[in-house]
């Protein structure tokens, strides 16, 4: 279904509903290449009627798909894994074109998405129930997990291939039918993944549906009575809104929100691991990752703190900012010029309050107007928005603490709890940090503490609304409900 080649003239994308790619005649939104500003596509702003059509198709496909053997459903996912692996490079190129990140980063992202498919392939094992024999005379108890019905995923711009693949494989593996509403800012990777699914005979029409759109489409998904569960990833404010409205409408919701992650550097940290770990975390993907470290928490005496800061600043100065399709680029553009302006405004506000710029990444924005180089801000009020709020750009705020206790005290006041990283050569400090830090994903000498897909993506506090995370056993629990049968046979 090639209604457009990515480099062809911009045309309107289509929704994929019930196995058909449907022409769209309604209102659209422009989507541009962040590196060049080039117009790529027109994105349908789907209406409540479009969402209803997708739900009707998904509902019609549910009885048969939910009754399909988990072994056959797993085989369908093996087929998906094969096509994704064969098209990994092409999907990664679409991510770079549409979202801006470097090709290597995009290639890694698609690999992470494939990993979720692989984890979901274990469904005949992970879906197994439990039994307890003889709880009373001739009485046995057994529990099963059954699919929910029609489930929808609403995804953000920053991982346009991986995050749809956090949800789609597990939802299908558990026997649900699925509707994807990708970010309106960069839906090309989702579109390509669904094209590949369209070619897989083992996934019947209606099992996977793709609906483009923005806020109205999200509201229609949240309000539709025939949708049983919503998986969401995006800003904390949107996550809270989605969770509240979805739950009000009787749905099961997992809503993963924003983050503000600290990189704690102890005086004994290995300088090489620290330089590579901190800079890749803070400036990779231009800081547009929910696991990005955006606070550098320097621990030790003032001299030790200066030494650690020097290691990071020297490494950051080596990074090249530019078009993500250029293999020489380390720091890609932000997703659009407005995102760059917003990050720069936060820096300007800090400077107006007396902060000091240790590394100034501000530039003319590049040809797409969205570039900002690595920026490091010191001497901040330790509760300034640069240290407490999500900037989602390549901006690293410096905070100082005399010892690990003080560092943990400051860090644990964060409203977010997605990730926290420590760099140290001391196992005791690492253990203490791991135990006491209030974050669900912890890195020790690792800059981006992303769990593999067999574990849940475990944010805490305002980084999630809901109890069950994406991936791992949580995904199977989220996409099923348990049924407990008590039987007596004489
Ligand atoms: P966003 O909240 O703007 O958009 C996410 C989705 O919600 C999109 O599909 C969008 O169409 C929809 N949406 C946005 N505003 C809406 C509104 N007012 N009403 C209805 N729908 C709305 O997020 P984004 O900017 O695309 O993504 C970046 C954010 O995602 C960051 O905050 C990042 O930390 C977060 N994120 C979190 C995780 C995690 O695991 N916790 C992972 C990746 C990204």
């Amino acid at each position: 279904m090639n209604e457009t080649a990515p480099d062809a003239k911009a045309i309107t994308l289509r929704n994929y509903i019930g196995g058909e790619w449907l022409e769209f005649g309604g209102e659209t939104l422009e989507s541009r290449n962040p590196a060049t500003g080039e117009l790529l596509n027109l994105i349908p702003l789907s209406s409540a009627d479009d969402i209803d059509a997708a739900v009707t198709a998904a509902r019609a496909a549910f009885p048969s798909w939910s009754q399909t053997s988990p072994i056959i459903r797993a085989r369908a996912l093996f087929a998906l894994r094969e096509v994704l692996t064969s098209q990994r490079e092409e999907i990664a190129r679409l991510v770079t074109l549409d979202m801006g990140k470097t090709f290597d980063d995009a290639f890694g992202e698609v690999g992470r998405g494939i990993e979720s498919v692989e984890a979901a392939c274990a469904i005949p094992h992970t879906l197994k129930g439990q039994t307890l024999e003889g709880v009373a005379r001739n009485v046995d108890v057994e529990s099963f997990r059954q699919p929910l019905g029609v489930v929808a995923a609403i995804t953000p711009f920053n991982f346009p291939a991986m995050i749809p693949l956090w949800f789609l494989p597990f939802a299908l593996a558990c026997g649900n039918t699925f509707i994807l509403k990708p970010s309106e800012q960069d839906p090309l990777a989702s579109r390509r993944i669904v094209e590949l699914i369209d070619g897989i005979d083992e996934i019947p029409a209606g099992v996977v549906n793709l609906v483009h759109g923005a806020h109205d489409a999200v509201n229609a998904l949240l309000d539709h009575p025939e949708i049983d569960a919503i998986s969401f990833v995006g800003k904390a404010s949107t996550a809270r809104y989605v969770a509240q409205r979805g739950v009000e409408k009787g749905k099961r919701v997992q809503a993963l929100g924003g983050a503000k992650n600290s990189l704690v550097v102890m005086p004994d940290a290995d300088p090489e691991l620290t330089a590579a770990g901190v800079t890749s975390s803070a400036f990779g993907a231009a800081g547009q990752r929910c696991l990005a470290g955006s606070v550098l928490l320097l621990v030790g005496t003032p001299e030790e703190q200066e030494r650690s800061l020097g290691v990071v600043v020297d490494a950051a100065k080596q990074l090249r900012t530019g078009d993500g399709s250029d293999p020489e680029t380390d720091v890609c553009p932000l997703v659009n010029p407005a995102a760059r302006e917003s990050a720069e405004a936060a820096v300007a506000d800090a400077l107006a309050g007396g902060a000091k710029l240790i590394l100034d990444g501000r530039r003319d924005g590049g040809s797409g107007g969205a570039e900002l180089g690595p920026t490091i801000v010191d001497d901040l009020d330790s509760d300034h928005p640069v240290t407490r709020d999500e900037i989602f750009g390549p901006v690293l705020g410096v905070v100082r603490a005399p010892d690990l206790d003080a560092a943990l005290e400051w860090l644990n006041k964060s409203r977010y709890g997605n990730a926290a990283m420590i760099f140290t050569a001391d196992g005791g400090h690492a253990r203490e940090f791991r135990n006491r830090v209030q974050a669900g994903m912890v890195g020790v000498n690792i800059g981006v503490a992303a769990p593999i897909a067999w574990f849940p993506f475990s944010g805490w506090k305002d980084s999630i609304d809901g109890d069950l995370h994406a991936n791992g056993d949580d995904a199977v629990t989220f996409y099923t409900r348990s049924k407990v049968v008590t039987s007596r046979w004489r």
Side-chain angles (χ1 to χ4, degrees):
M1 279 297 137
N2 277 319
E3 72 261 36
T4 177
D7 54 353
K9 252 178 65 192
I11 60 111
T12 306
L13 299 187
R14 300 185 213 171
N15 290 333
Y16 177 75
I17 296 178
E20 303 290 330
W21 293 93
L22 303 176
E23 292 287 349
F24 189 81
E27 221 184 307
T28 58
L29 199 69
E30 290 182 352
S31 137
R32 292 179 181 276
N33 179 340
T36 61
E38 175 206 0
L39 178 62
L40 295 174
N41 291 290
L42 300 175
I43 313 302
L45 289 174
S46 297
S47 66
D49 287 345
D50 300 312
I51 298 295
D52 188 54
V55 178
T56 304
R59 189 49 71 192
F62 177 69
S64 161
W65 183 247
S66 59
Q67 293 299 320
T68 300
S69 157
I71 301 165
I72 305 290
R73 295 200 301 254
R75 283 188 193 138
L77 293 174
F78 279 117
L80 176 58
R81 186 219 176 256
E82 291 310 302
V83 288
L84 289 173
T85 302
S86 71
Q87 301 300 308
R88 181 171 170 184
E89 193 174 318
E90 189 207 337
I91 299 170
R93 291 206 188 286
L94 289 174
V95 169
T96 299
L97 179 83
D98 213 12
M99 181 272 174
K101 67 177 65 171
T102 63
F103 174 75
D104 283 355
D105 200 12
F107 193 71
E109 164 178 354
V110 181
R112 282 298 186 130
I114 292 171
E115 198 179 281
S116 290
V117 181
E118 291 169 344
C121 285
I123 201 68
H125 177 66
T126 49
L127 201 57
K128 284 190 297 203
Q130 296 181 315
T131 61
L132 186 61
E133 194 184 30
V135 296
R137 193 176 162 79
N138 296 329
V139 176
D140 306 322
V141 181
E142 54 201 320
S143 72
F144 302 91
R145 298 211 71 91
Q146 297 188 333
L148 301 176
V150 177
V151 302
I154 300 160
T155 56
F157 80 81
N158 67 328
F159 283 96
M162 180 185 79
I163 292 182
L165 289 172
W166 276 357
F167 301 116
L168 185 153
F170 285 99
L172 265 58
C174 292
N176 302 283
T177 53
F178 188 75
I179 300 171
L180 172 63
K181 202 300 284 173
S183 171
E184 63 276 28
Q185 300 193 67
D186 53 8
L188 286 181
S190 286
R191 204 258 320 233
R192 184 68 189 126
I193 291 165
V194 172
E195 278 177 1
L196 295 172
I197 288 173
D198 190 34
I200 298 175
D201 292 341
E202 295 92 329
I203 302 180
V207 171
V208 172
N209 304 275
L210 172 71
V211 190
H212 296 285
H215 302 187
D216 289 348
V218 170
N219 288 334
L221 288 166
L222 294 172
D223 291 349
H224 202 293
E226 292 285 316
I227 294 181
D228 298 288
I230 299 277
S231 299
F232 171 88
V233 182
K235 295 188 183 82
S237 53
T238 326
R240 181 61 49 89
Y241 167 76
V242 163
Q244 285 176 344
R245 189 154 170 170
V247 167
E248 213 174 27
K249 301 288 176 176
K251 297 182 192 340
R252 186 176 288 193
V253 181
Q254 53 180 182
L256 286 66
K260 187 75 185 177
N261 309 308
S262 290
L263 297 147
V264 175
V265 182
M266 300 300 289
D268 61 8
D270 177 309
E272 256 178 62
L273 281 181
T274 305
V278 169
T279 53
S280 67
S281 181
F283 307 122
Q288 298 169 111
R289 293 185 186 131
C290 69
L291 293 181
S294 51
V295 173
L296 180 63
L297 226 171
L298 301 170
V299 179
T301 63
E303 296 72 34
E304 288 168 334
Q305 293 171 4
E306 280 318 304
R307 203 180 58 222
S308 300
L309 181 59
V311 163
V312 171
V313 173
D314 287 349
K317 281 183 180 160
Q318 308 304 316
L319 300 176
R320 279 155 306 195
T321 303
D323 185 332
S325 65
D326 178 347
E328 299 293 305
T329 295
D330 300 299
V331 181
C332 67
L334 278 83
V335 68
N336 54 42
R340 176 186 60 78
E341 282 160 23
S342 152
E344 288 190 4
V347 173
D349 184 71
L351 298 184
K356 195 164 81 192
L357 214 44
I358 302 283
L359 188 62
D360 188 356
R362 292 171 300 175
R363 42 177 51 220
D364 66 5
S367 42
E371 287 177 20
L372 174 63
T375 300
I376 303 180
V377 193
D378 198 2
D379 288 343
L380 285 150
D381 165 358
S382 75
D383 283 326
H384 186 272
V386 166
T387 61
R388 285 299 188 197
D389 296 345
E390 186 175 54
I391 307 292
F392 228 51
V395 178
L396 184 63
V398 179
V399 173
R400 290 155 195 270
D403 53 31
L404 184 57
D405 270 346
L408 278 164
E409 190 184 329
W410 183 86
L411 194 167
N412 284 341
K413 283 190 192 136
S414 176
R415 60 178 280 223
Y416 298 109
N418 224 31
M421 283 64 74
I422 187 167
F423 292 84
T424 181
D426 182 322
H429 280 147
R431 189 173 184 281
E432 175 92 1
F433 183 77
R434 189 185 76 189
N435 177 257
R436 286 174 53 196
V437 74
Q438 289 175 24
M441 290 173 276
V442 179
V444 178
N445 296 322
I446 298 270
V448 180
I452 55 170
W454 290 262
F455 287 84
F457 198 86
S458 286
W460 286 12
K461 297 163 98 176
D462 278 0
S463 297
I464 187 166
D465 278 293
D467 303 309
L468 293 166
H469 298 89
N471 283 326
D473 290 344
D474 274 23
V476 177
T477 308
F478 181 78
Y479 285 128
T480 55
R481 47 190 169 185
S482 61
K483 180 177 279 180
V484 181
V485 180
T486 307
S487 317
R488 169 177 284 132
W489 292 103
R490 289 153 67 99

